[in-house]
């Protein structure tokens, strides 16, 4: 049994060593990769029956542009986010924990569809997740 | 039969409530005791995927074969608003190894566990601090006479535990990684299947699990156990499991567990399988 445990640990640690050699921005495929990802993600969110309605009045082209900047900046890419602050843009929506998770699920599905490596998906998601406190219940 | 009953209950619940407010897998599977967590160890998570005003019901059937024994468990758990979990589990221990050696009458030993868990603070995924929960498990042997003969002082006992769990989205190898610890005060011998002691013991339990893939979880667990039954030493348990979570309804866990010495027979280890369904 203990040998089994050791073996599993070794596997986990092995997986550990193989990441982090490229910047997240590069792993996402640079500007073009991020544009593609955001294109898919906005479409998924917009089509999601659970939250799509929230975007009924939204200028999707504008949203995509801001999201590309934001994701690029979060991934340490050469961009500057020029949109509203997270609390300001989501204020009045009183978004719930559930709605945030559904957005995350759509975003994950988009990252999968864009063919991003799982570690890159998770690194980006971890950075987006840190914004939750500024987005829900505003 | 019991399984049919369980899934019947799930079907009823299917009509009633829907919960998909939390991320896939954030309710763990149902442990043998009925509490949400790994296969053997409770986590600080609430069963199912409820968030906000949602609630849902999960049910699981598990079996383990350790050579001389087999353990069967059937459990249901209600998760309410990602805050409260109420569970019921029936455990059943088959004693073929003891019966063959003429040490025990040809019977199974059964025990019931009623559980409650309350999320005290924190969020498994989104906060720096771990999610904390407190839980209680009211355990009762259904074979009071037999476990009394076998040396147990009592046929019922209450566990209290405090659990802390944390998930890192980009953890080990950039994979979602969950770590969990639980501190338990218990009177039970082998989960209560062999009865209870009058004195309490403090035990420590832990899990480490990694989502190798969004739908595949690989985990290690360790469950410290008391050792107070005179005739039969009791060892800590450990297991290695793989769980497949195709969606929020169905989770299948498959593992290899080392139970150590049970009822006087050493080296009890073997495979286990647990199927969990949730509604809807
Ligand atoms: C980490 C998660 C999120 C990020 C990074 C994010 C980012 C953004 C950005 C950059 C904008 C445009 C900012 C601007 O107007 O200048 C925006 C707007 C918006 N967001 Fe989010 N958002 C997140 C989560 C959510 C969630 C969970 C919802 C709802 C389920 C949501 C609903 C909206 C809506 C409806 C707008 C458009 C507002 C309008 O039409 O003016 N967002 N978001």
């Amino acid at each position: 049994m203990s040998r089994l445990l050791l073996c599993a640990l070794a596997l986990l640690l092995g997986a550990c060593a193989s990441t982090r050699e490229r910047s997240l921005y590069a792993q996402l495929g640079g500007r073009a990769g991020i544009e593609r990802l955001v294109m898919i993600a906005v479409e998924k969110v917009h089509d999601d029956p659970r939250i799509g309605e929230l975007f009924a009045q939204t200028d999707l082209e504008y949203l995509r542009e801001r999201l590309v900047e934001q994701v690029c900046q979060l991934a340490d890419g050469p961009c500057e986010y020029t949109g509203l602050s997270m609390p300001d843009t989501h204020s009045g929506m009183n978004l719930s924990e559930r709605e945030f998770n559904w957005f995350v699920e759509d975003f994950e599905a988009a990252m999968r569809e864009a063919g991003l490596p799982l570690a890159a998906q998770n690194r980006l998601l971890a950075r987006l997740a840190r914004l939750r406190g500024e987005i829900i219940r505003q | 039969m019991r399984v049919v009953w369980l899934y019947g209950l799930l079907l009823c619940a299917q009509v009633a409530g829907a919960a998909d407010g939390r991320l896939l897998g954030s309710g763990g599977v149902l442990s043998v005791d009925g509490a949400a967590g790994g296969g053997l160890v409770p986590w600080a998570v609430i069963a199912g995927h409820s968030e906000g005003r949602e609630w849902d019901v999960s049910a699981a059937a598990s079996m383990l074969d350790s050579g001389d024994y087999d353990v069967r468990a059937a459990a249901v758990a209600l998760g309410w608003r990602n805050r409260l979990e109420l569970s019921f589990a029936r455990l059943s221990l088959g004693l073929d190894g003891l019966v063959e050696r003429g040490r025990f009458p040809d019977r199974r030993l059964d025990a019931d566990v009623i559980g409650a868990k309350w999320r005290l603070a924190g969020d498994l995924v989104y906060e720096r601090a771990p999610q904390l929960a407190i839980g209680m498990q009211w355990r009762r042997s259904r074979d009071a006479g037999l476990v009394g003969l076998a040396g147990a002082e009592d046929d019922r006992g209450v566990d209290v535990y405090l659990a802390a769990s944390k998930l890192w989205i980009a953890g080990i190898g950039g994979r979602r990684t969950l770590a969990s610890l639980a501190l338990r005060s218990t009177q039970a011998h082998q989960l209560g299947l062999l009865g209870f002691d009058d004195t309490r013991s403090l035990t420590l339990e832990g899990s480490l699990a990694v989502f190798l893939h969004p739908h595949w979880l690989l985990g290690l667990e360790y469950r410290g156990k008391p050792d107070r039954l005179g005739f039969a030493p009791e060892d800590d348990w450990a297991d290695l499991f793989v769980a497949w979570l195709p969606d929020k309804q169905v989770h299948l866990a498959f593992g290899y567990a080392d139970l150590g010495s049970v009822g006087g027979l050493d080296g009890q280890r073997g495979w286990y399988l647990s199927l969990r369904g949730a509604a809807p």
Side-chain angles (χ1 to χ4, degrees), chain A:
Chain A
M1 188 67 201
S2 54
R3 220 176 304 157
L4 253 177
L5 298 189
L6 273 178
C7 169
L9 260 181
L11 272 176
L12 295 180
L13 294 177
C16 215
S18 62
T19 49
R20 301 265 153 129
E21 64 289 286
R22 288 201 306 156
S23 77
L24 182 54
Y25 179 71
Q27 286 181 35
L28 297 177
R31 179 94 192 185
I34 292 172
E35 276 170 9
R36 197 168 110 74
L37 166 61
V38 166
M39 179 70 92
I40 304 172
V42 167
E43 189 180 316
K44 286 210 186 291
V45 168
H46 186 253
D47 290 348
D48 186 336
R50 301 173 298 183
I51 50 176
E53 227 167 277
L54 290 165
F55 296 85
Q57 310 297 324
T58 301
D59 175 350
L60 294 181
E61 190 49 45
Y62 171 84
L63 177 63
R64 276 192 288 266
E65 281 164 16
R66 297 295 80 71
L67 267 176
V68 167
E69 291 169 358
Q70 195 184 22
V71 168
C72 173
Q73 188 174 1
L74 281 172
D76 305 321
C79 314
E80 199 184 333
Y81 176 62
T82 62
L84 297 174
S85 74
M86 287 296 103
D88 283 349
T89 191
H90 298 99
S91 82
M93 292 188 208
N94 195 20
L95 296 175
S96 65
E97 291 84 356
R98 305 159 71 199
E99 286 165 327
F100 189 88
N101 284 336
W102 293 335
F103 181 95
V104 164
E105 287 175 0
D106 293 338
F107 205 89
E108 277 194 286
M111 291 190 291
R112 222 172 301 139
E113 198 173 310
L116 297 175
L118 187 54
Q121 292 183 27
N122 283 333
R123 285 175 71 192
L124 176 57
L125 198 59
R127 294 179 192 197
L128 289 169
R130 270 184 233 138
L131 303 172
R132 179 178 179 259
E134 303 171 22
I135 291 170
I136 63 170
R137 311 234 163 270
Q138 302 290 327

